């Protein structure tokens, strides 16, 4: 299963953005950002916002996993 929090953290790092920047973009505290990084699942509306902020479609990770599962 996709560990979405860790993937968000990795994408943030790839984008060379800070936790402070990300918290500002999400209108939340740094503490809440670190809580996001620990999540194994996330609300779709939150994931949509994060996808826009980080300019990355996190939903494809799940759809790719679903496609691979149905091919078996």
């Amino acid at each position: 299963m996709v560990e979405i929090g860790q993937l968000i953290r990795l994408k943030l790092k790839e984008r060379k953005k800070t936790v402070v920047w990300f918290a500002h973009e999400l209108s939340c505290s740094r503490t809440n950002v670190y809580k996001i990084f620990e999540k194994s699942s996330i609300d779709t509306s939150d994931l949509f916002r994060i996808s826009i902020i980080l300019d990355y479609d996190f939903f494809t990770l799940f759809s790719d996993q679903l496609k691979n599962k149905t091919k078996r």
Side-chain angles (χ1 to χ4, degrees):
M1 188 63 147
V2 175
E3 291 291 329
I4 194 64
Q6 290 301 312
L7 294 171
I8 292 168
R9 174 183 270 177
L10 287 172
K11 193 54 65 176
L12 183 66
K13 190 174 184 175
E14 281 179 21
R15 298 285 192 254
K16 295 182 171 63
K17 300 293 186 180
T18 66
V19 170
V20 173
W21 174 86
F22 193 46
H24 180 264
E25 292 297 309
L26 284 173
S27 300
C28 71
S29 68
R30 288 187 349 236
T31 303
N32 285 341
V33 169
Y34 287 111
K35 287 179 183 178
I36 290 170
F37 294 159
E38 295 173 9
K39 292 182 175 229
S40 59
S41 65
I42 190 167
D43 182 80
T44 54
S45 61
D46 292 337
L47 188 59
F48 183 75
R49 283 186 60 218
I50 291 168
S51 292
I52 291 170
I53 291 167
L54 294 178
D55 191 30
Y56 182 79
D57 185 358
F58 288 97
F59 293 96
T60 59
L61 301 169
F62 293 99
S63 60
D64 288 347
Q65 197 172 54
L66 182 60
K67 287 175 192 172
N68 290 334
K69 188 171 185 151
T70 58
K71 287 182 182 179
R72 293 181 184 171

